[in-house]
Amino acid sequence: MDEIITLSYGSGGIKTSRLIEDYMLPAFNSDVLNELSDGAILDVKGDIAFSTDSFVIDPYFFNGGDIGKLSVCGTVNDILMCGAVPKFLSLSFILEEGLKLEDLKTIINSIAETAKKANVKIVTGDTKVVDRGHGHGIYINTSGIGIKRPGVTLGKNRIKEGDKVIVTGSIGNHGVSILCSRENLLISDIKSDCAPLNSVVDCILKYKENIKILRDPTRGGVATTLNEFVEGEDFGIELEESSLPIDKNVQTACDLLGLDPLYSANEGKVLAIVDKSIAEKLITDLNNFKESEYSAIIGEVTSVTKGKVLIKSIYGGKRVLDKLSNDLLPRIC
């Protein structure tokens, strides 16, 4: 095979077949995918969750992962946030002419490894090739199907005054990592937290009716996600700055660059609103997992400031945290 992707790999002919048969099918090891039908017949029982996402990250290799790992984690985690168990993924590539086949192979293997870790199967997909200069190497779309967990109902309507706000680890790692990788701005060991959150969500949802809502704070970060919870509601959220788990390297980078980690993305954390009666116990449970060992209660729901997110500084003052209003860092996922 050629050492780079050419337009003929998207023609649907011999080279397309070789790309699928030599690179993709051996990596994904899926009986359903091996049939190479136009779609997939799936055995699904119960209510399903469905999500789709497209990934255009720059650079597509970064400290802590690559676009392949991210494409699985992004959709798997969205299904998990719905209170469902992820089962199946579709996988579509848009490849740019000139992409190195060795890079594509690395990305495919990363997808396979992450899908195995997340216990999901790649069951259908597509590959297109665009001419040089029109695709930044590689874009990926994944769609996912999951089965709703019995006894779990999540939504803004279940949030009430006194509920606690929990984040399952250090805030802002992914966005800052991508910025450092893209611009070579800092020399540090800031890694993306990109990871599938199956075990973390399993731990949280053991508490079923005490869990009000889950989100993964990706674009816009923790501050924007919390604003989405309170918009138009008769409650607000107040955070404690002293309780925020922020990696010291992430904080240093943000200080140097004039950024706020609360608006920087994560790709491997859960933001949860939970009943106050189980919050401390849940933190103890979460801290037993590597993926959530720095979990913390960072605030609570209040009726004092309706529809607003406030943060109390370590000095006692308070300020409003609005949604992200500009492009802190485009193309992070």
Side-chain angles (χ1 to χ4, degrees), residues 80-299:
L80 288 165
M81 297 308 116
C82 297
V85 179
K87 293 293 186 181
F88 307 108
L89 290 182
S90 70
L91 174 67
S92 292
F93 293 103
I94 298 177
L95 309 177
E96 182 183 13
E97 181 184 19
L99 175 70
K100 293 179 181 179
L101 277 166
E102 190 60 34
D103 285 352
L104 178 59
K105 183 177 181 180
T106 299
I107 290 167
I108 288 170
N109 289 337
S110 180
I111 291 169
E113 179 182 346
T114 310
K116 183 177 181 180
K117 184 176 181 180
N119 198 27
V120 293
K121 292 183 178 180
I122 310 293
V123 294
T124 190
D126 184 51
T127 301
K128 296 292 191 297
V129 179
V130 297
D131 53 321
R132 194 183 297 267
H134 292 83
H136 200 83
I138 180 171
Y139 299 149
I140 299 177
N141 173 273
T142 51
S143 294
I145 291 175
I147 311 300
K148 184 180 180 297
R149 299 170 190 252
V152 173
T153 302
L154 304 174
K156 285 172 42 172
N157 61 306
R158 302 192 63 244
I159 300 172
K160 70 177 190 301
E161 185 175 11
D163 286 344
K164 298 297 184 180
V165 182
I166 286 175
V167 68
T168 62
S170 181
I171 293 169
N173 293 55
H174 179 73
V176 174
S177 171
I178 297 307
L179 177 61
C180 293
S181 295
R182 184 184 301 175
E183 305 296 342
N184 295 314
L185 293 175
L186 301 164
I187 300 174
S188 65
D189 189 31
I190 300 176
K191 293 179 65 175
S192 169
D193 59 335
C194 180
L197 292 164
N198 304 60
S199 59
V200 175
V201 173
D202 285 347
C203 177
I204 293 171
L205 290 181
K206 289 188 302 183
Y207 292 91
K208 292 189 176 181
E209 69 275 3
N210 290 297
I211 308 303
K212 308 305 181 67
I213 195 169
L214 304 178
R215 288 287 189 276
D216 53 337
T218 53
R219 287 175 297 174
V222 166
T224 297
T225 302
L226 291 178
N227 269 280
E228 292 170 355
F229 289 165
V230 303
E231 281 180 328
E233 303 295 335
D234 60 358
F235 57 80
I237 288 174
E238 184 170 314
L239 303 182
E240 291 282 346
E241 185 179 29
S242 60
S243 299
L244 299 176
I246 302 173
D247 180 271
K248 63 179 181 180
N249 289 328
V250 170
Q251 186 64 65
T252 298
C254 286
D255 290 343
L256 288 171
L257 298 169
L259 303 176
D260 187 338
L262 283 165
Y263 291 97
S264 178
N266 286 100
E267 288 289 350
K269 301 295 187 300
V270 180
L271 195 60
I273 308 291
V274 309
D275 191 275
K276 62 183 179 182
S277 65
I278 57 93
E280 294 288 352
K281 179 64 168 65
L282 177 56
I283 291 297
T284 300
D285 291 348
L286 286 168
N287 286 337
N288 289 322
F289 292 91
K290 182 179 180 181
E291 297 91 341
S292 55
E293 61 182 335
Y294 299 110
S295 297
I297 298 170
I298 62 173

